[in-house]
Amino acid sequence: MTQNNKLDFIDQIINERKSNNRYRTLKTTTPVSEVEVMISGKSMINFSSNDYLGLSKHPLLKQRSKDWIEQYGNGSTGSRLICGTFDCIDRLEKKLARLKLTESSLILNTGFQTNISIIPALADNNTLILSDELNHNSIIQGCILARCDKVAYRHNDIEHLKELLLNNQQKDYSRIIIISETVFSMDGDRCDLQALQQLSNQFNAILILDEAHATGVLGEKGMGLACKGSADIIIGTFGKACGSFGAYVACSAKIRNYLINYCTGFVFTTALPPAVLGAIDGALDLIPQLHVERQELHKKAEFLRQSLSKLGFDTGNSSTQIVPVILGDEVATIKAAQMLEASGILATAIRPPTVPLGQSRIRIALSSSHSWDQVKKLIILFEELRHENSTA
Ligand SMILES: *Cc1c(COP(=O)(O)O)cnc(C)c1O
């Protein structure tokens, strides 16, 4: 080993990132309203938040948090299996199962933690995992930790998935697991739920669906696209449209019992605190009633997509509140985000490795709390961007 500083590797790697324009830093924000933040003293309209229904600021959630702090305290005092299963989390899991129309549910601490531990819990060394190539990083990490064979099938390509299932049917895998998101986080498109169900039935594969971006905004009562046991395991987060924090698994009682015993991300961690559980409870009471807000949200998304495509922008296959404006080139995308920022709009530039090379984009995330004027302002800025580029 050479005698240089033991942390020199960090400089090398970071410098490489910087020279690729991919170095990231944190941006400190002060929330002002459901859709506005202050950054360095400047007020910005936030088009990058996952707070799709503005619930992060909702008085009912705040009040329920305070009530549960008063009643149950600040901390949950232990892991779920030791003494952290307070009666309030028990009732919350039953409420959630009723809403998801599944036999049972289990609350975990984050969506990330759920995916990285549930996939290894369900797989053994002899399992084959088939995972959509655009699945979230937590699913990718979960597949790596599962230490078994895995193949990423082409995004939403049911024929490719079927081909992989046919090719592997005769091999002696102990089980096959299919994993997909129901709404994809970077593209705002949806999986083909029926086809996935049909294939998982036909090939006797375990189906896992991640409803992170669907929970709260799509499906019956806004409870997501995969209710009623349309998959063996349905995962979702409370950190997005639910305006709080935490995650869930909706499944059969049999799978729940298995996870309580074998999902390390459930077993070896402190249960969520009462304040967070209270906010989740409030969100679950509210969400089924928010039909008007959901309608508004989807109307605004449709209007945004149509306006952008009239301007010649590519919004991919988005059909949800997530609207990518795919610009392709990384530098052009960074410049576009900077131009928006200078005009008081916060919209995230998404670049490789988060998306494939040549697919850099501005990711617009709409909230029912955005006013029509704010959406129109965004469209006008994209129109200016179009003109700047065509005259350049
Ligand atoms: C955000 C997200 C997660 C992570 O959920 P957290 O609760 O924020 O950890 C998992 N899966 C998908 C698809 C996501 O978009």
Side-chain angles (χ1 to χ4, degrees):
M1 224 167 75
T2 50
Q3 284 294 309
N4 49 11
N5 187 306
K6 63 187 174 187
L7 294 180
D8 278 353
F9 75 96
I10 291 181
D11 303 312
Q12 277 165 23
I13 291 171
I14 289 291
N15 286 336
E16 206 171 303
R17 274 242 148 149
K18 284 181 176 165
S19 66
N20 288 336
N21 277 317
R22 286 181 193 169
Y23 182 64
R24 298 169 174 192
T25 55
L26 297 174
K27 198 177 344 224
T28 305
T29 64
T30 306
V32 178
S33 75
E34 286 86 342
V35 291
E36 281 158 298
V37 290
M38 294 281 282
I39 299 179
S40 313
K42 190 177 168 194
S43 175
M44 311 271 291
I45 308 168
N46 191 357
F47 281 103
S48 60
S49 142
N50 297 321
D51 191 14
Y52 304 128
L53 298 167
L55 294 188
S56 75
K57 306 278 184 304
H58 198 285
L60 180 83
L61 276 69
K62 291 185 194 172
Q63 189 56 49
R64 195 69 54 89
S65 268
K66 290 178 197 161
D67 292 347
W68 287 28
I69 289 176
E70 281 306 321
Q71 196 176 345
Y72 296 96
N74 297 313
S76 61
T77 74
S79 67
R80 289 291 301 276
L81 279 165
I82 306 299
C83 56
T85 301
F86 292 176
D87 56 64
C88 57
I89 199 168
D90 201 39
R91 283 198 305 275
L92 191 50
E93 286 177 341
K94 293 194 169 91
K95 182 183 281 187
L96 179 67
R98 279 198 299 278
L99 286 167
K100 290 294 282 185
L101 308 171
T102 52
E103 194 179 3
S104 69
S105 86
L106 193 63
I107 291 179
L108 287 94
N109 289 9
T110 74
F112 188 89
Q113 198 168 325
T114 303
N115 280 330
I116 65 164
S117 59
I118 205 171
I119 300 168
L122 290 161
D124 64 5
N125 292 337
N126 205 23
T127 298
L128 171 66
I129 301 176
L130 302 174
S131 170
D132 189 291
E133 67 181 346
L134 292 191
N135 278 341
H136 189 259
N137 185 270
S138 56
I139 296 175
I140 297 172
Q141 299 301 328
C143 292
I144 292 169
L145 289 169
R147 291 184 293 188
C148 63
D149 288 355
K150 50 228 154 211
V151 182
Y153 61 89
R154 287 190 294 272
H155 177 53
N156 268 345
D157 188 337
I158 293 298
E159 284 312 309
H160 188 210
L161 176 59
K162 187 169 184 178
E163 189 184 309
L164 290 167
L165 285 161
L166 281 168
N167 291 346
N168 288 289
Q169 193 175 27
Q170 301 306 333
K171 300 188 185 158
D172 44 330
Y173 282 114
S174 59
R175 64 202 81 131
I176 298 180
I177 299 175
I178 301 171
I179 311 180
S180 177
E181 298 182 24
T182 54
V183 170
F184 286 87
S185 49
M186 292 304 139
D187 289 68
D189 57 343
R190 309 176 194 208
C191 72
D192 185 342
L193 202 60
Q194 276 189 332
L196 289 176
Q197 273 171 274
Q198 197 269 326
L199 281 185
S200 67
N201 288 338
Q202 184 183 342
F203 290 89
N204 199 29
I206 297 170
L207 180 59
I208 303 179
L209 294 174
D210 185 336
E211 294 245 79
H213 295 278
T215 308
V217 294
L218 290 167
E220 205 167 322
K221 294 185 179 164
M223 283 311 299
L225 296 169
C227 295
K228 274 188 202 144
S230 45
D232 298 289
I233 290 155
I234 305 166
I235 292 166
T237 173
F238 297 117
K240 289 172 178 152
C242 296
S244 179
F245 185 75
Y248 68 83
V249 177
C251 58
S252 65
K254 172 178 167 141
I255 290 177
R256 181 178 189 268
N257 290 337
Y258 179 74
L259 296 176
I260 289 171
N261 282 277
Y262 289 102
C263 182
T264 54
F266 174 85
V267 177
F268 298 102
T269 192
T270 303
L272 284 178
V276 167
L277 296 171
I280 297 171
D281 193 60
L284 292 185
D285 285 350
L286 268 179
I287 282 171
Q289 309 168 27
L290 301 179
H291 301 293
V292 175
E293 286 77 359
R294 277 188 285 276
Q295 246 174 21
E296 274 284 297
L297 176 64
H298 298 306
K299 250 196 253 172
K300 282 166 193 158
E302 179 61 29
F303 177 72
L304 177 63
R305 276 192 296 273
Q306 283 185 0
S307 307
L308 288 170
S309 92
K310 270 185 214 150
L311 291 170
F313 287 106
D314 176 9
T315 57
N317 292 318
S318 161
S319 66
T320 65
Q321 74 283 1
I322 300 166
V323 181
V325 187
I326 303 165
L327 301 174
D329 181 61
E330 269 184 78
V331 177
T333 305
I334 297 168
K335 275 194 185 152
Q338 283 167 347
M339 177 271 200
L340 291 171
E341 194 170 330
S343 310
I345 299 260
L346 188 62
T348 325
I350 311 274
R351 297 170 283 146
T354 310
V355 291
L357 211 65
Q359 293 260 311
S360 291
R361 65 197 59 193
I362 302 289
R363 177 183 181 273
I364 309 287
L366 289 176
S367 164
S368 59
S369 302
H370 282 120
S371 68
W372 281 99
D373 278 349
Q374 289 171 330
V375 177
K376 284 172 190 163
K377 176 175 177 180
L378 179 66
I379 293 163
I380 289 170
L381 288 171
F382 271 105
E383 192 172 355
E384 283 172 18
L385 202 69
R386 177 54 82 214
H387 287 306
E388 264 172 41
N389 285 357
S390 52
T391 51

